[in-house]
């Protein structure tokens, strides 16, 4: 059951109706049952994995909390009887036990994730024949495992760090991990942001529901009209890349970027829209990423929840770790103050993006994805003083509009190229596609033929172009601080209804369907 | 409790109502007026008299059972609910719909083998769309919706205008003009009348012309494989039987004929026939396979068909008369009707002492002739040609058992080559022929 | 070394030159300090003032102005 199907709409209507019909105390139960119903529909027996993660993390968090409570109690009772050394030793022991508990929880669940997701890849690349270990082809990835595992581990680490108390209600906690709106493609939520909202009963507000539906419609528009249509062309070119060159490949790269953005952010908008109807605020995952002026800014606007999660649970801990402090000192002594500061940050960045890369999947393409992003940002960090000097010398006006636009285009082009290589059938395919851009330039006839061959045709291309333009217009307005849905709700009823009907019929007329293929959400595979 | 303002409910209902109206407008302007099923369903709902005999099946049904003739011969109200590519599942739901309004005493299920095998297009939902569009709202329609459509195909069932993407605004105007007429609203037959065929009444479509004698040419019938059984079709066959039984309707299986050349071309037609027989045997039903009809009952003539699988109006006329005869005899339980049919395909083909069809294809510098014929027939071929200016054909190679001719033997100014075929030992000018255009 | 507000400004100016840290109060919220800057800054603060900063401390409230950074370091030094 994909979001873009009639049956999903039925499901949502049922869940929302039930939610608002039952008494307050039972509302979260409706969400829990719906979530597991949905999950079981998608994963059947593999549901056992999310149950395992829920149970182990739930228990570990409570264990850690108990250890802390017990030790505080003990110290309070026996503070007078112990000297400083003993107190220190006791505290250290407590810390160790907590750490081991945390590590157990982490490794158990990370271990499963790594085995299921990367087992085959690792075995193949270490040249172990999988036939000896009973071919690993039976391994299926349970739905959303990358998302819920990270979400669970974030919670566990936060409890360890004392950010908030552990959840003592197993069923409520199960809801936090399995919530059906986030299970397919995130966002990866934080416990202190999402859990309370889930458990708290919400009332039905008509205006809020209207807003939510409008957001859903926008999401469907991006996914069904833009992304799935672009996919006609991109899948054809990426599949048979050898037959295409020059401008055909450039279009494929651009359309692929459009496709993945429409697909992912469209899906997220649908989710956030539904959540809004239910009165729940889900974390923003996209903030008009193509207005980013640098690659690092891009990652603050694209898949925000993943970037934020890795920042808090990988990047910062690395930087603040003792190991890195020592590394910093060594670098500082060897290479001077600036490099000594910056190189550890760069190394951390590369590790961070490697994780982000392979989080997407088990292939060298994703490793490349991570290394590229990490590498570009690190290079930027290292060369910052150089850039500053160049800017000073050339008296470049970095505040000007033109410069901003240049930066946006530059970032867009660089990342589109990286994305194109990553999405190709293999790294070598990706590079060969890159090289073929230089060959057979500007052959518009071939391009026209390709567009027709893909099934999109001239008319489809017009629709795609117009829809993308509409999306661009909306985002430009948003970037300039205008809240579209708010301003719509302030208009009179005629304007509002025309907007609603316009959006609805744009979707109904131009959405891709089974004959051309509603595509499964791209991020559902992660 | 909740912020349940009546005004909001009213606003929502109004919004949805306007939305439905707008969708109906889109449907009206996008969907072309021509449709057989629209008129057929309208007629079925509108029948004042009870429908006594219903025919179900695909194009083999709606082009073959002439309800006017059957009405007259049987003295009952017959109705032909055949439709394009109708699957057995579609037939089941049509039958259910029929039962909400009529109580047929007999249900004739057309059995052409293509309905029970799986092909590439088998998952195409078009056959269901064109029927579902014209079902009146009912529980049965809802049941049909969930049975016939899956996640991917459901949307186009709910929004029919999506199936007719319009690329030119003039098309919209055309549709509107054609539909804003008395004839369209009255479901008059004239809306579904074309140059080469027309809706003749109560579901039957009359095709004007068939093959001219001897000009069957290449046939491309649906293939058959016992390994490719469409289990869903069998499932719904069982359901149709049970539904008939519950309602006291007798289920009779009939296979409408196709050109004998098609029967031969299938190759393993006997397997298909045995499979269809097995369905009949399952419930003790009768199966009249007119492909195996003896000449005394039905002569399988070229003019009775217009392509590999469908009957012309003339053929349907003859066939309907014969079917009426068989049905009457069956109903009155007179005659052992088996004597009118061959016992198997071998017997059928052995009885054919002529060539059924001929065609030609170019291969390796030769023009090769191919034909289907009776088992014991040794076909002979004659090759002729004509120039563009002339009407007359001149012989290149006289009749012989050789089935090919080298292209270099064909005169350079030849415009068409004609291949004549006949059974070896016969003396007619030809039994079948084929025209091969040389700019192929 | 004991923390002073001037030293904080000095460190900040080294990381991001050209900003008047005396008046800015939304360093994180308006993206003047991004996560790389915060990471570099936190590491520097740890080294120079011999304190321990945890990930929990790396929240916008603590880094939105020179003053809040100074207070953070002061608190850590007094533990």
């Amino acid at each position: 059951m994909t979001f873009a199907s009639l049956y999903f709409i039925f499901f949502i209507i049922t869940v929302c109706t039930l939610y608002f019909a039952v008494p307050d105390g039972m509302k979260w139960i409706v969400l829990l049952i719906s979530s597991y119903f949905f999950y079981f529909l998608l994963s059947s027996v593999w549901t056992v994995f999310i149950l395992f993660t829920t149970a182990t993390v739930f228990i570990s968090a409570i264990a850690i909390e108990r250890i802390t409570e017990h030790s505080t109690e003990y110290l309070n009772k026996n503070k007078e009887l112990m000297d400083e050394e003993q107190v220190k030793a006791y505290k250290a022991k407590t810390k160790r036990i907590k750490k081991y508990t945390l590590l157990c929880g982490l490794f158990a669940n990370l271990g499963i994730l790594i085995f299921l997701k990367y087992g085959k890849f690792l075995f193949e690349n270490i040249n172990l024949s999988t036939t000896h270990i009973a071919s690993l082809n039976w391994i299926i990835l349970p739905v959303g495992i990358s998302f819920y595992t990270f979400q669970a581990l974030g919670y566990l680490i936060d409890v360890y760090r004392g950010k908030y108390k552990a959840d003592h209600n197993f069923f409520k906690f199960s809801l936090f991990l399995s919530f059906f709106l986030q299970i397919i493609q995130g966002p990866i939520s934080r416990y202190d942001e999402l859990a309370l909202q889930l458990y708290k009963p919400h009332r039905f507000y008509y205006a809020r529901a209207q807003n939510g539906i409008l957001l859903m419609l926008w999401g469907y528009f991006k996914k069904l009209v833009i992304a799935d249509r672009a996919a006609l062309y991109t899948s054809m070119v990426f599949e048979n890349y050898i037959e295409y060159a020059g401008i055909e490949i450039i279009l494929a790269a651009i359309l692929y970027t459009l496709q993945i953005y429409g697909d992912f952010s469209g899906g997220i908008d649908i989710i956030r829209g539904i959540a809004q109807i239910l009165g729940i605020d889900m974390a923003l995952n996209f903030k008009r990423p193509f207005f980013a002026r640098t690659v690092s800014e891009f990652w603050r606007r694209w898949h925000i929840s993943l970037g934020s999660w890795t920042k808090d649970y990988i990047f910062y801990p690395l930087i603040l770790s003792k190991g890195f402090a020592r590394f910093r000192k060594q670098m500082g002594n060897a290479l001077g103050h600036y490099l000594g500061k910056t190189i550890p940050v760069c190394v951390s960045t590369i590790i961070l993006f490697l994780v982000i890369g392979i989080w997407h999947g088990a292939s060298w393409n994703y490793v490349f994805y991570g290394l590229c992003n990490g590498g570009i940002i690190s290079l930027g960090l290292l060369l910052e003083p150089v850039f500053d000097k160049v800017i000073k010398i050339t008296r470049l006006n970095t505040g000007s509009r033109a410069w901003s636009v240049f930066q946006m285009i530059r970032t867009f082009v660089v990342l589109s190229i990286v994305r194109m290589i990553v999405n190709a059938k293999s790294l070598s395919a990706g590079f060969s596609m890159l090289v073929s851009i230089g060959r057979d330039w500007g052959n518009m006839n071939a391009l026209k033929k390709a567009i027709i061959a893909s099934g999109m045709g001239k008319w489809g291309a017009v629709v795609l172009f117009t829809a993308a333009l509409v999306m661009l217009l909306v985002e430009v307005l948003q970037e300039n601080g205008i809240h579209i849905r708010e301003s719509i709700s302030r208009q009179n009823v005629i304007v509002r209804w025309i907007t609603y009907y316009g959006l609805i019929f744009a979707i109904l007329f131009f959405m891709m369907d089974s004959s051309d293929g509603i595509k499964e959400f791209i991020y559902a595979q992660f | 409790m909740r912020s349940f303002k009546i005004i909001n409910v009213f606003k929502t209902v109004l919004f949805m109502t306007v939305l439905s109206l707008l969708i109906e407008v889109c449907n009206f302007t996008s969907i072309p007026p021509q449709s057989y099923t629209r008129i057929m369903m309208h007629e079925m709902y509108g029948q004042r008299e009870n429908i006594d005999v219903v025919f179900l099946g695909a194009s083999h049904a709606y082009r073959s059972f002439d309800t006017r003739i059957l009405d007259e011969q049987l003295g009952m109200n017959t109705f032909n609910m055949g439709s394009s590519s109708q699957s057995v599942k579609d037939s089941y739901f049509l039958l259910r719909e029929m039962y909400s309004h009529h109580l047929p005493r007999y249900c004739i299920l057309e059995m052409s083998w293509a309905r029970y095998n799986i092909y590439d297009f088998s998952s195409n939902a078009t056959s269901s769309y064109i029927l579902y569009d014209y079902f009146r709202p009912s529980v049965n329609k809802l049941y049909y919706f969930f049975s016939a459509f899956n996640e991917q195909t459901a949307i186009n069932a709910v929004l029919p205008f999506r199936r007719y993407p319009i690329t030119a605004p003039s098309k919209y105007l055309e549709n509107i003009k054609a539909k804003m007429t008395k004839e369209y609203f009255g479901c008059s037959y004239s809306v579904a009348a074309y140059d080469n065929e027309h809706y003749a009444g109560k579901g039957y479509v009359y095709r004007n012309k068939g093959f001219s004698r001897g000009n069957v040419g290449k046939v491309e019938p649906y293939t058959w494989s016992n390994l490719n059984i469409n289990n869903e079709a069998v499932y719904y066959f069982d359901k149709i039987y049970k539904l008939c039984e519950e309602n006291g309707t007798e289920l009779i299986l009939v296979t409408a004929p196709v050109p004998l050349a098609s029967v031969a071309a299938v190759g393993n037609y006997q397997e298909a026939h045995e499979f269809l027989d097995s369905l009949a045997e399952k419930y003790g039903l009768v199966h009249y396979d007119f492909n195996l009809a003896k000449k005394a009952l039905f002569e399988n003539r070229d003019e009775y068909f217009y392509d590999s699988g469908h009957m012309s109006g003339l053929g349907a006329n003859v066939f309907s008369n014969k079917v009426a005869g068989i049905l009457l005899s069956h109903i009155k339980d007179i005659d052992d009707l088996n004597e009118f049919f061959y016992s198997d395909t071998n017997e059928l083909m052995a009885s054919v002492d002529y060539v059924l069809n001929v065609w030609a294809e170019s291969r390796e510098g030769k023009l090769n002739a191919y034909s289907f014929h009776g088992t014991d027939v040794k076909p002979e071929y004659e090759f002729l040609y004509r120039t563009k200016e002339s009407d007359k054909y001149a012989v290149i190679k006289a009749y012989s058992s050789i089935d090919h001719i080298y292209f270099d033997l064909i005169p350079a100014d030849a415009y068409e080559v004609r291949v004549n075929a006949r059974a070896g030992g016969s003396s007619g000018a030809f039994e079948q022929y084929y025209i091969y255009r040389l700019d192929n | 070394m004991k923390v002073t507000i001037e030293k904080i400004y000095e460190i900040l100016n080294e990381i991001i030159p050209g900003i008047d840290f005396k008046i800015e109060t939304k360093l994180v919220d308006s993206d003047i300090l991004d996560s790389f800057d915060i990471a570099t800054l936190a590491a520097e603060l740890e080294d120079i003032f011999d304190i321990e900063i945890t990930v929990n401390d790396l929240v916008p409230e603590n880094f939105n102005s020179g003053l809040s950074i100074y207070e953070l370091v002061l608190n850590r030094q007094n533990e």
Side-chain angles (χ1 to χ4, degrees):
Chain A
M1 196 195 330
T2 148
F3 285 171
S5 89
L6 229 49
Y7 294 164
F8 182 72
I9 307 281
F10 288 155
F11 175 69
I12 292 299
I13 294 178
T14 314
V15 173
C16 288
T17 315
L18 272 176
Y19 184 81
F20 291 116
V22 301
D24 282 357
M26 289 184 54
K27 289 197 196 296
W28 68 270
I29 300 181
V30 169
L31 293 181
L32 175 64
I33 297 179
S34 312
S35 299
Y36 265 91
F37 172 77
F38 188 68
Y39 196 86
F40 196 74
L41 220 62
L42 294 176
S43 285
S44 60
V45 284
W46 304 99
T47 309
V48 60
F49 284 105
I50 194 175
L51 284 170
F52 176 81
T53 300
T54 311
T56 50
V57 170
F58 178 75
I59 294 174
S60 307
I62 292 185
I64 290 176
E65 197 177 69
R66 287 272 159 80
I67 296 171
T68 314
E69 279 169 7
H70 177 89
S71 105
T72 317
E73 237 183 83
Y74 182 83
L75 282 176
N76 281 340
K77 260 216 248 146
N78 302 315
K79 228 185 341 197
E80 282 83 55
L81 309 172
M82 295 166 66
D83 65 28
E84 238 191 272
E85 279 304 314
Q86 285 177 308
V87 170
K88 241 195 179 163
Y90 184 79
K91 276 196 179 158
K93 191 175 85 156
T94 308
K95 199 161 182 218
R96 245 202 332 266
I97 300 180
K98 273 169 57 174
K99 203 172 218 174
Y100 287 149
T101 315
L102 170 70
L103 289 176
C104 279
L106 283 183
F107 284 141
N109 291 290
L110 267 182
I112 292 180
L113 175 63
I114 291 177
F115 175 70
L116 288 179
K117 204 164 173 172
Y118 308 103
K120 200 150 167 269
F121 177 72
L122 287 173
F123 278 132
E124 281 168 4
N125 281 282
I126 314 179
N127 264 319
L128 281 176
S129 165
T130 55
T131 51
H132 292 166
I133 315 178
S135 162
L136 296 173
N137 283 320
W138 53 266
I139 293 179
I140 295 198
L141 270 186
V143 168
I145 189 171
S146 310
F147 295 101
Y148 73 69
T149 304
F150 270 34
Q151 189 157 309
L153 296 181
Y155 160 79
L156 187 59
I157 296 175
D158 279 347
V159 171
Y160 171 79
R161 288 179 185 164
K163 199 165 179 204
Y164 39 74
K165 308 201 77 179
D167 197 323
H168 282 258
N169 185 326
F170 178 72
F171 292 103
K172 284 192 169 166
F173 184 67
S174 305
L175 171 57
F176 169 65
L177 284 190
S178 66
F179 187 40
F180 68 93
L181 285 183
Q182 78 196 3
I183 203 70
I184 297 215
Q185 46 184 353
I188 303 173
S189 310
R190 306 300 179 91
Y191 181 83
D192 48 350
E193 284 168 5
L194 182 64
L196 266 86
Q197 290 196 77
L198 285 178
Y199 306 161
K200 193 173 93 155
H202 302 272
R203 303 171 65 194
F204 178 80
Y205 286 112
Y206 188 74
R208 187 170 63 190
Q210 268 183 320
N211 250 326
I213 294 179
L214 196 52
L215 186 55
M216 282 175 71
L217 286 176
W218 181 240
Y220 278 116
F221 178 76
K222 285 197 279 188
K223 156 77 174 152
L224 298 175
V225 177
I226 297 181
D228 284 353
R229 188 170 262 99
L232 284 177
Y233 181 82
T234 58
S235 52
M236 180 185 78
V237 172
F238 277 93
E239 183 63 34
N240 304 305
Y241 60 94
I242 310 181
E243 300 170 22
Y244 303 96
I247 202 167
E248 297 160 318
I249 303 234
I250 292 182
L251 186 64
I254 297 177
L255 285 188
Y256 180 68
T257 299
L258 195 62
Q259 176 191 344
I260 197 163
Y261 177 58
D263 190 290
F264 198 7
S265 74
I268 294 285
D269 280 348
I270 295 173
I271 290 167
R272 286 180 53 232
I274 300 172
Q276 191 166 16
I277 298 176
L278 291 171
I280 297 171
D281 238 319
M282 297 206 69
L284 213 53
N285 224 12
F286 291 95
K287 236 157 83 176
R288 303 169 296 281
F290 301 118
F291 289 87
R293 280 173 278 188
T294 61
V295 176
S296 47
E297 187 186 348
F298 178 81
W299 282 98
R300 288 196 291 283
R301 291 170 176 259
W302 171 278
H303 206 171
I304 298 174
S305 63
L306 180 64
S308 166
W309 192 98
T310 48
K311 178 186 74 174
D312 286 337
Y313 301 106
I314 296 181
F315 184 65
Y316 282 157
L318 265 181
I319 296 275
L320 295 178
S321 69
K322 298 278 186 295
F324 258 70
R326 252 176 295 141
F327 181 44
R328 247 198 325 275
K329 276 216 183 65
Q330 290 170 347
M331 285 286 116
N333 292 337
L335 299 170
H337 183 64
Y338 179 72
L339 286 175
K341 262 194 324 184
T342 315
I343 290 193
V345 175
C346 292
V347 171
S348 217
T349 304
I350 294 191
I351 295 178
L352 168 71
F353 277 97
L354 254 177
V355 171
I356 288 183
I358 60 179
W359 175 91
H360 286 83
S363 92
W364 290 113
N365 292 39
Y366 292 123
V367 173
F368 175 77
Y369 187 48
L371 285 177
C372 253
N373 278 285
I376 294 177
I377 295 179
S378 298
L379 218 58
L381 286 174
L382 282 171
L383 295 177
E384 211 176 302
V386 176
F387 289 148
D388 286 340
K389 248 202 209 116
V390 171
I391 290 173
K392 237 202 203 133
I393 296 179
T394 59
R395 294 193 218 249
L396 204 54
N397 183 4
T398 53
S400 71
R401 214 352 122 60
W403 178 247
S404 304
V405 173
F406 165 72
Q407 282 183 305
M408 292 181 201
I409 296 181
R410 173 191 68 185
T411 310
F412 180 84
V413 169
V414 166
L415 287 177
S416 294
I417 293 177
V418 172
R419 227 177 267 120
M420 175 189 81
I421 298 176
V422 172
N423 186 51
K425 289 169 85 161
S426 67
L427 275 183
S428 54
F431 284 111
S432 109
M433 284 177 79
L434 184 61
V435 166
S436 7
I437 292 182
R439 152 168 78 88
D440 198 16
W441 246 102
N443 187 344
M444 290 303 288
N445 272 324
L447 183 65
K448 280 195 200 129
K449 268 219 215 123
I451 292 180
I452 295 179
S454 68
M456 196 193 301
K458 195 174 73 168
W459 180 235
V462 170
V463 170
L464 181 59
F465 182 72
T466 316
L469 221 56
V470 168
M471 184 169 78
L472 179 65
L473 179 66
V474 164
E475 301 217 334
V476 166
L477 290 173
Q478 287 175 326
E479 185 74 6
N480 286 317
I482 301 177
H483 293 278
I484 306 267
R485 282 179 291 149
E486 240 176 64
S487 37
I488 291 179
S489 61
R490 278 184 268 131
Q491 306 299 321
N492 68 60
V493 68
I494 307 266
V495 173
R496 269 185 291 133
W497 278 34
I498 291 182
T499 316
Y500 300 152
Y501 286 131
L503 192 52
I504 291 176
F505 279 97
I507 296 172
L508 293 184
F509 265 99
F510 301 119
M511 63 180 273
M512 303 295 294
D513 67 23
S514 66
S515 49
D516 332 89
I518 293 184
K519 310 272 179 284
E520 191 65 56
F521 281 93
I522 298 178
Y523 271 74
Q525 60 185 302
F526 297 131
Chain B
M1 211 170 55
R2 17 208 107 96
S3 321
F4 209 65
K5 300 207 191 83
I6 284 295
I7 180 82
N8 289 336
V9 175
F10 176 72
K11 277 202 275 180
T12 311
V13 169
L14 185 61
F15 185 84
M16 298 305 279
T17 311
V18 174
L19 183 63
S20 320
L21 282 173
L22 288 173
I23 291 180
E24 282 313 308
V25 170
C26 289
N27 287 339
F28 190 77
T29 53
S30 300
I31 304 174
Q34 299 88 356
S35 160
Y36 290 142
T37 49
R38 176 171 180 265
I39 303 178
M40 181 271 283
M41 293 302 286
H42 175 91
E43 273 202 282
M44 187 277 283
Y45 287 123
Q47 289 285 298
R48 292 251 169 72
E49 265 179 60
N50 181 58
I51 293 177
D52 307 308
V53 183
V54 58
F55 294 88
L56 294 168
S59 43
H60 287 222
Y62 76 81
R63 294 178 184 280
S64 307
F65 300 105
D66 189 331
T67 41
R68 303 166 295 187
I69 293 177
L70 287 152
D71 274 359
E72 201 191 306
Q73 300 276 332
L74 297 175
M76 296 190 252
N77 188 10
T78 68
F79 200 92
N80 190 331
M81 285 193 98
S83 66
S84 238
S85 303
Q86 188 180 109
S87 65
V88 187
K89 174 170 23 179
D90 292 327
S91 301
Y92 172 70
F93 284 99
L94 278 175
L95 189 59
R96 281 176 59 101
E97 194 66 8
M98 162 81 51
Y99 278 122
S100 329
H101 297 81
H102 303 278
L103 189 55
R105 287 189 272 159
Y106 301 98
C107 173
I108 317 294
L109 193 57
E110 206 283 321
M111 298 299 283
S112 290
W113 68 97
R115 305 184 89 200
Y116 295 91
N117 247 198
I118 301 181
Y119 305 96
D120 279 340
F121 58 80
S122 294
S123 54
N124 187 317
T126 307
S127 70
S128 305
Y129 287 144
I130 59 176
L131 291 167
Y132 178 81
D133 277 352
Y134 304 111
F135 269 51
R136 289 201 185 143
S138 65
V139 174
N140 188 32
K141 184 170 186 178
L142 201 60
Y143 186 16
Y144 189 23
F145 177 80
F146 284 108
S147 307
F149 306 115
N150 58 28
E151 269 206 299
Q152 277 101 11
T153 52
I155 295 170
N156 285 358
V158 175
L159 303 170
F161 65 83
R162 284 185 52 80
R163 287 182 253 135
Y164 304 92
I166 306 249
T167 42
S170 56
K171 255 294 179 168
Y172 284 114
L173 291 170
E174 249 180 68
N175 284 339
I176 297 176
K177 266 221 298 243
K179 287 166 121 177
M180 301 282 278
T181 59
K182 206 168 47 169
E183 288 79 32
Y184 180 77
F185 275 104
C187 287
S188 148
Y189 296 175
S190 58
V191 181
Y194 311 101
D195 293 333
N196 55 1
E197 59 183 49
H198 64 271
Y199 184 90
K202 293 207 279 178
Y204 168 65
V205 170
Y206 183 93
R207 178 82 175 195
N208 300 345
K209 284 195 349 179
F211 291 126
S212 39
R213 175 82 60 107
N215 195 8
V216 174
K218 182 172 188 190
V219 291
E220 285 168 301
Y222 288 112
T223 56
W224 173 265
S225 165
N226 278 339
L227 302 171
N228 212 10
I229 304 289
N230 187 336
N231 290 313
E232 189 182 66
V234 177
Y235 171 75
Y236 278 101
F237 174 81
D238 292 335
K239 288 190 83 143
I240 288 177
Y241 170 72
K242 292 199 182 79
L243 188 59
C244 287
E245 232 211 340
E246 273 164 27
N247 286 283
T249 307
E250 186 183 348
L251 182 60
I252 300 175
L253 311 185
V254 173
T255 298
V258 295
L260 283 183
S262 293
V263 175
V266 173
N268 57 345
Y269 183 76
Q270 181 60 17
E271 281 179 20
H273 173 80
E274 278 172 11
F275 176 80
L276 299 176
D277 266 355
S278 74
L279 289 179
E281 274 154 34
K282 213 200 289 197
Y283 300 113
L285 308 169
V286 290
H287 172 217
Y288 301 118
D289 185 344
F290 271 76
N291 284 317
L292 296 186
K294 291 187 179 163
K295 272 222 189 70
L297 172 62
F298 175 79
E299 204 185 328
N300 195 304
R301 291 203 196 159
D302 299 344
E303 315 87 89
Y304 292 167
F305 305 94
Y306 73 86
D307 73 7
S308 313
H310 302 104
M311 307 199 84
S312 62
L314 176 63
N317 188 304
V318 174
F319 172 65
S320 298
N321 272 297
K322 303 299 182 177
V323 165
I326 290 280
L327 288 177
L328 272 174
S329 304
H330 169 83
I331 291 169
K332 300 194 186 131
D333 218 4
I334 28 170
D335 301 341
D336 175 14
L337 297 170
N338 287 323
E339 68 180 71
F340 292 108
F341 298 90
Y342 290 110
S343 53
D344 62 32
T345 317
N346 289 333
E347 220 196 309
L348 166 72
M349 297 309 286
S351 76
V352 173
D353 59 357
Y354 50 93
V355 173
L356 295 169
N357 71 332
V358 67
W359 74 99
E361 283 165 15
S362 127
R363 216 176 60 155
E364 292 162 10
K366 294 181 281 176
L367 186 64
N368 289 285
Y370 303 91
S371 68
F372 285 106
H373 46 81
T375 320
D376 299 319
V377 167
K378 302 266 185 292
E380 294 183 333
Y381 303 98
E382 187 187 38
F383 294 86
L384 311 96
Y385 83 100
R386 76 172 176 91
T387 59
K388 203 161 186 183
E389 301 78 36
S390 160
D391 267 342
K392 300 192 77 192
Y393 285 93
V395 177
I396 311 175
K397 186 197 265 197
Y399 268 112
S400 74
S401 57
I402 300 176
D403 62 359
H404 60 268
I405 186 171
Y406 283 91
F407 275 104
D408 7 2
L409 285 183
I410 301 174
D413 59 345
Y415 173 63
E416 277 172 8
V417 170
R418 174 171 164 143
V419 183
N420 285 337
R422 69 180 186 200
S426 68
S427 54
F430 64 89
E431 284 168 354
Q432 292 286 325
Y433 71 93
Y434 181 79
I435 308 287
Y436 182 88
R437 238 336 137 74
L438 276 165
D439 48 25
N440 285 2
Chain C
M1 100 165 35
K2 200 79 173 81
V3 63
T4 62
I5 188 82
E6 289 79 24
K7 186 68 186 165
I8 298 289
Y9 287 140
E10 198 186 302
I11 298 174
L12 281 171
N13 273 312
E14 231 181 46
I15 297 182
I16 314 261
I19 306 280
D20 188 349
F21 291 99
K22 292 197 186 72
I23 56 175
E24 290 288 347
T25 54
K26 292 237 177 283
L27 293 173
V28 179
D29 293 341
S30 37
D31 243 9
I32 297 175
L33 282 184
D34 67 17
S35 24
F36 301 105
D37 299 322
I38 294 178
T40 315
L41 181 59
E44 284 267 280
L45 294 175
E46 277 196 329
D47 287 343
I48 296 180
F49 299 110
D50 197 23
I51 53 173
E52 211 179 281
I53 296 186
T54 68
V55 180
N56 279 351
D57 296 325
L58 299 180
V59 287
E61 300 83 68
N62 287 344
F63 284 82
N64 253 336
S65 67
L67 193 59
S68 50
I69 298 173
Y70 166 74
E71 278 168 2
L72 171 68
V73 178
L74 198 60
N75 288 336
R76 289 285 166 276
Q77 282 195 324
N78 290 339
E79 273 167 11

